[in-house]
Amino acid sequence: SNLQLRHVEGVVTVAAPPHAKGVTLGEPLSSDDALDPHHLRLVVPSHQFSQNALIPSPDKYLEMYKRSIEDPAGFWSDIASQFFWKQPWNAYSVFSENLDVRNGPVHIQWFKGGSTNISYNCLDRIVESGYGDKIALFWEANDPGVGATSLTYNQLLSRVCQLANYLKHIGVKKGDAVVVYLPMLMELPITMLACARIGAVHSVVFAGFSAESLAQRIVDCKPKVVITCNAVKRGSKTIHLKDIVDGALLQSAQNGDVVPKYPTHCEVEWVDAEDPLFLLYTSGSTGKPKGVLHTTGGYMVYTATTFKYAFDYKPTDIYWCTADCGWITGHSYVTYGPLLNGASVIIYEGAPNYPDSGRCWDIVDKYKYVTRYSRESLRILGSVGEPINPSAWRWFYNVVGDSRCPISDTWWQTETGGFMITPLPGAWPQKPGSATFPFFGVQPVIVDEKGVELEGECSGYLCVKNSWPGAFRTLYGDHERYETTYFKPFPGYYFTGDGCSRDKDGYHWLTGRVDDVINVSGHRIGTAEVESALVSHPKCAEAAVVGVEHEVKGQAIYAFVTLVEGVPYSEELRKSLVLTVREQIGAFAAPDRIHWAPGLPKTRSGKIMRRILRKIASRQLNELGDTSTLADPSIVDQLIALADS
Ligand code: ATP
Ligand code: MG
């Protein structure tokens, strides 16, 4: 069944779009679908898939969604009661919020007065309910066939307690910050859980960052301790992390194998639901990274619930999220969300293309089947971080998932704590490239530049009305920047910084960052739309577009294009790429300039840094801005060198 979902004053209505053509899970999407600019092609869950899903139908979703919006206190209290609370929260004010700067300081609180511990809920609670011998973590080493290991929930609890005892012994107390600079070892989630256990606030810094970037974060959050390891292998390289930390601290940190001596039992420090759990910096795609603060209770309830429904979690699943714990995805969907559900999680130390690009599928099969790369065990696929364009979606669906697995394209942010707009795989038909509908309790609104809410089919600035439990509570040490960045642009709403359009069936399409929107002769064009059109060309591997000043049009589109390996640049190809955009979107969106790119500048979490591309496009090479989160700075030089070719 196809659904149309509209918010009308908090009420949700459904209607079937008459034009919808479906492909049922199990059938491939054909290449004709590449030329489906109106997104008529739906991918419909099979009857069997839906029947076994936690949310089996649009009606069930709508029933739950409606309640989550009309009675958020009741909806979230019922879910929160499934966790362990030493003291219950104040039943008369499950949450309190002010998102409107005109009414005083912005504040968000959930389950205030409730006392709990997320580490207890991830570990002790699972052990006590009889699953102590279930595998909590599988660890897969960088080098295939070397050193793979696992920990049961019982064992993980012991390891967490040992480290917690050690941290207490060296003087770490409730509320102290602990910087964690570790690669994807089991010690990384262990450290996060050990901090949480004693009420310390962890701040994980992605282990690919330089001494300078690490030092900046240390200066910002003033930790009592920095936890690292001597070295890590990533791909064929060995990276000496401890040396980098020493460089950052300019003094030697405590060293040695001390932790195993500590007792395997550690009393839990009960904390208030609103006590801070962690501090984490955003990816730095649009500027200097922001130190996002999340608290305990609401984050716990929200990550657990989004994990459960977006991935239709079944206790027999083995779950793998390839994100690094240095990013929010690794916090919410490697560590907390899955463990709160008692899931078995794979942690992979290395790079996805080491020793070759089959490694991911090798790992998938290893944990289920023996045949090389059958991927038969896959049930659901996920995606996050950037808009997944329809071409990539089709590849993921047809090739990786054998046209069998729904894709949860999850839109969210470091700030939101958990998924905000995401498919619930058994509930509704998907459209390749759309993040679909809001999660329970989330009210996305699309506003125009004056902040007026738009209805029906529309395009504009993506905001969120009202709080949700996983929302961040402040930017660490800078509540003013928190209000200015997120709540002042459109008073009364949380402003996401992203553009979004809603189609006539109510599906949401993320169009890119609003700072990146290009205005050609009065047409506002999102980056995602043009990039999707470019990559639908069979010879285009990746594309990023930016606006440059234009005398007549105001702005013109400037496209950086990476070609499929082995394809040479040519004038003919340039024309054919421009033609593809003209045909799919219209002449107004046709790029004026194609800049051949051997690669694109990306953050260390893999996001395209269009602000740097804008500077290259306009040849403002002395104003590249904060480049500390750039994964490979040499790409920038290569692009500059190719600028006039
Ligand atoms: P910074 O805030 O420092 O510029 P960042 O916004 O890239 O960095 P993150 O919090 O890691 O930091 O990323 C969130 C952003 O990623 C979103 O605002 C959105 O632009 C993009 N994003 C995440 N998931 C999706 C998705 N499924 N579809 C489209 N865009 C997405
Ligand atoms: Mg951001």
Side-chain angles (χ1 to χ4, degrees), residues 12 38 61 93 147 192 262 283 305 327 338 357 371 405 441 512 517 531 534 538 563 569:
V12 175
H38 304 294
Y61 162 76
S93 72
M192 294 161 72
Y262 283 79
S283 297
T305 312
W327 314 116
S357 40
T371 332
C405 308
V517 163
E531 290 161 6
L534 285 168
L563 297 176
Y569 311 140

Side-chain angles (χ1 to χ4, degrees), residues 290 413 415 513:
K290 301 170 281 263
Q413 309 177 296
E415 293 88 338
R513 317 293 178 126

Side-chain angles (χ1 to χ4, degrees), residues 282-286 290 412-415 486 494 496-498 513 607:
T282 58
S283 297
S285 312
T286 57
K290 301 170 281 263
W412 60 302
Q413 309 177 296
T414 309
E415 293 88 338
Y486 303 102
Y494 165 68
T496 66
D498 287 343
R513 317 293 178 126
K607 291 156 185 281

Side-chain angles (χ1 to χ4, degrees), residues 234-535:
R234 191 168 166 88
S236 51
K237 283 188 255 174
T238 302
I239 302 160
H240 295 273
L241 290 188
K242 173 74 166 41
D243 295 349
I244 297 173
V245 172
D246 289 345
L249 298 180
L250 285 175
Q251 64 180 50
S252 180
Q254 181 159 2
N255 199 355
D257 200 12
V258 287
V259 176
K261 289 193 232 112
Y262 283 79
T264 55
H265 177 81
C266 173
E267 283 300 322
V268 164
E269 179 82 38
W270 300 106
V271 300
D272 188 274
E274 281 301 330
D275 279 339
L277 173 63
F278 66 86
L279 173 63
L280 182 68
Y281 293 84
T282 58
S283 297
S285 312
T286 57
K288 192 167 183 290
K290 301 170 281 263
V292 164
L293 187 89
H294 281 284
T295 56
T296 305
Y299 175 85
M300 171 171 87
V301 171
Y302 197 69
T303 51
T305 312
T306 45
F307 170 82
K308 173 172 160 186
Y309 291 113
F311 298 128
D312 188 46
Y313 172 67
K314 305 273 189 287
T316 48
D317 287 346
I318 293 176
Y319 165 82
W320 182 25
C321 169
T322 62
D324 192 288
C325 287
W327 314 116
I328 187 70
T329 305
H331 281 57
S332 304
Y333 302 110
V334 173
T335 307
Y336 292 116
L339 294 179
L340 285 164
N341 282 280
S344 297
V345 181
I346 298 175
I347 294 186
Y348 171 47
E349 178 185 35
N353 55 355
Y354 179 80
D356 58 47
S357 40
R359 184 64 189 275
C360 287
W361 322 126
D362 194 20
I363 294 173
V364 167
D365 284 356
K366 171 171 175 183
Y367 288 90
K368 210 62 188 179
Y369 289 99
V370 284
T371 332
R372 194 163 162 83
Y373 308 160
S374 74
R375 303 178 316 282
E376 269 169 46
S377 58
L378 289 175
R379 202 164 68 78
I380 290 172
L381 303 172
S383 163
V384 68
E386 284 250 315
I388 173 168
N389 62 64
S391 307
W393 202 101
R394 273 197 316 280
W395 175 81
F396 205 26
Y397 172 80
N398 282 341
V399 179
V400 176
D402 278 332
S403 313
R404 219 175 10 85
C405 308
I407 298 176
S408 287
D409 171 7
T410 60
W411 174 82
W412 60 302
Q413 309 177 296
T414 309
E415 293 88 338
T416 67
F419 302 148
M420 298 291 279
I421 302 181
T422 178
L424 299 183
W428 52 64
Q430 294 188 266
K431 295 188 183 188
S434 166
T436 73
F437 299 108
F439 192 72
F440 304 130
V442 175
Q443 287 175 277
V445 293
I446 298 175
V447 302
D448 66 12
E449 52 288 320
K450 296 195 190 75
V452 177
E453 271 184 48
L454 302 171
E455 287 290 335
E457 207 181 334
C458 60
S459 185
Y461 301 83
L462 179 62
C463 292
V464 184
K465 203 160 44 176
N466 303 333
S467 75
W468 61 98
F472 68 141
R473 307 302 201 241
T474 191
L475 289 181
Y476 181 70
D478 202 348
H479 201 68
E480 202 180 311
R481 186 176 177 207
Y482 172 73
E483 293 185 340
T484 312
T485 311
Y486 303 102
F487 298 95
K488 282 193 182 151
F490 299 105
Y493 301 109
Y494 165 68
F495 172 48
T496 66
D498 287 343
C500 182
S501 60
R502 200 189 289 128
D503 69 17
K504 52 184 170 313
D505 305 324
Y507 284 69
H508 292 80
W509 300 81
L510 275 298
T511 53
R513 317 293 178 126
V514 297
D515 294 349
D516 296 336
V517 163
I518 307 168
N519 194 326
V520 182
S521 310
H523 300 286
R524 296 173 57 79
I525 306 168
T527 50
E529 206 179 351
V530 184
E531 290 161 6
S532 293
L534 285 168
V535 297

Side-chain angles (χ1 to χ4, degrees), residues 80-81 83-92 111-116 272-273:
S81 314
F83 295 92
F84 182 82
W85 299 78
K86 188 78 180 161
Q87 288 286 328
W89 57 89
N90 182 349
Y92 298 102
F111 310 115
K112 179 76 189 157
S115 138
T116 188
D272 188 274

